[in-house]
Amino acid sequence: MKKLFQLILLIISFSCTKEKPVIQGSLEDFAKETFVIHRDERTGYIGIQGVINQEGKPLISAYWNYKFSFFDPKTGQKSHEIEIPKEGPLSIRGGLPQEAQGFDDFFILLGRLNDLQFRKGNEILNSTLLNFDTLGINLQNSMSSHKQKITEISHGIFEISNNPFDLMALSNRTIGFDVENFGAWISQFDQDGNWICISDFRAPFDESYSETVDAGDLMRITSDGVSWTLFPFSDSLYRTENCQVTQTITLESISPIRYFPSKEVSNGASRTWVRPDDAAINLYLFDDPTTGLKIRFTLLEKKSGESDFADPRMSMFSDEKHYLVMIYDLEWKLAAELKMNFGEGTRFENIFLMDGYLLINKPEQKSEDEYEFYKIDLSQFRN
């Protein structure tokens, strides 16, 4: 009888336990604060990479056009900048670096001719070669990424996500990459340019994406030697250790997310590939160390605007774009799904984490001198 009573209590306790509903709404409604970065006359576009520490001082790190810029996370004022020379002993072979990533007290440059440099300020700490031919990748024909491709797994050991797409395929009329056979999506290397491990797993989509330029632009977060990797056109999340897949999770969403490959559009002798307006693409993945929450940022769809511009650069402002910010708990359960729109004449540029806050540039900017961000306290989404 006692065991029966305990069983009844257990059933009642389970029946009374309800999962908290997923928080939904407009991102702006949850942004109670604003953060401003101050631009001087030397600063144009700001490509923010995140917050790093230099000599014990936190700084917002940004990189664009051969230049690292650093900003005070409290005042938004520029602290200093480091310019990478295009010529001379401090330049890197091949011109513009393929990747430039800031870390605590140093930064890494990866050149198009496989040059790997570790620098501190204007000093080259170490220079070597990283042989991407081993991976079947030609960096000279590879696309640079605005994401954090290189992370430090442990002291002196680094991990990089690899994009195999060959940009010359656009003119050579060949496929961009071999979807069915390429597996070196993640690899680890040391400071001397030695490969430590190379992954061998397949992309979660078929060969119809072989001509989609950004199909290999991965998102990845790392912590305690473990990496989580998300592809641009999939809800599948890969957990890896030492370049080996140990777990696969399908990320949840409330809004339906549909992925489609780019379509070829011919214009006389030239051809381009265009993603359909209703095709989604994952853009960023973050792990907030303050709250433990994970953030996924996805372009859900766009509505194309006017396309006949004399200056083709203006076309980037002609579309209306709808984004999702999906927030997950420690177990990758969906905690919140927020919507954000960038209308015609505006564009998304930056998203980053800072002290338990998520920051996203506002669509409307009041001044060229003050770059405004929504500042969202992530603790409000923690169970």
Side-chain angles (χ1 to χ4, degrees), residues 30-179:
F30 294 89
K32 307 302 182 184
E33 301 179 50
T34 293
F35 179 73
V36 176
I37 287 180
H38 299 275
R39 284 191 176 104
D40 57 26
E41 65 278 1
R42 288 172 48 85
T43 305
Y45 174 78
I46 299 175
I48 296 176
Q49 294 187 335
V51 178
I52 63 172
N53 284 288
Q54 286 194 354
E55 298 179 354
K57 181 181 178 181
L59 291 171
I60 298 170
S61 174
Y63 177 78
W64 182 251
N65 195 22
Y66 289 93
K67 185 189 301 180
F68 282 98
S69 299
F70 302 94
F71 301 87
D72 189 302
K74 292 183 178 180
T75 66
Q77 297 287 349
K78 182 185 286 186
S79 168
H80 63 287
E81 59 187 27
I82 300 172
E83 193 161 356
I84 302 166
K86 299 177 183 179
E87 298 177 341
L90 290 178
S91 64
I92 192 163
R93 291 191 311 154
L96 185 69
Q98 176 71 8
E99 305 297 338
Q101 184 67 52
F103 294 84
D104 292 350
D105 292 324
F106 69 95
F107 58 94
I108 290 178
L109 298 182
L110 179 61
R112 294 185 178 276
L113 299 178
N114 294 350
D115 292 72
L116 176 68
Q117 290 187 358
F118 294 82
R119 298 191 182 193
K120 183 174 183 178
N122 290 318
E123 177 188 0
I124 299 177
L125 302 176
N126 188 32
S127 182
T128 184
L129 293 175
L130 196 58
N131 186 8
F132 280 87
D133 296 338
T134 304
L135 312 182
I137 295 175
N138 183 349
L139 287 184
Q140 295 187 76
N141 299 337
S142 184
M143 182 175 66
S144 297
S145 176
H146 55 279
K147 300 179 177 64
Q148 185 177 8
K149 291 192 65 173
I150 304 174
T151 53
E152 189 171 16
I153 292 291
S154 59
H155 181 68
I157 304 299
F158 301 87
E159 188 172 88
I160 185 170
S161 50
N162 303 305
N163 187 348
F165 195 93
D166 187 344
L167 291 175
M168 291 303 295
L170 302 177
S171 56
N172 293 340
R173 297 187 176 275
T174 58
I175 63 171
F177 72 104
D178 188 347
V179 177

Side-chain angles (χ1 to χ4, degrees), residues 284-286 293-297 325-327 353 358 378:
Y284 287 93
L285 189 68
F286 295 104
L293 297 175
K294 327 292 184 185
I295 297 92
R296 172 189 180 192
F297 186 67
V325 175
M326 288 159 282
I327 301 173
L353 298 176
L358 177 69
L378 290 173

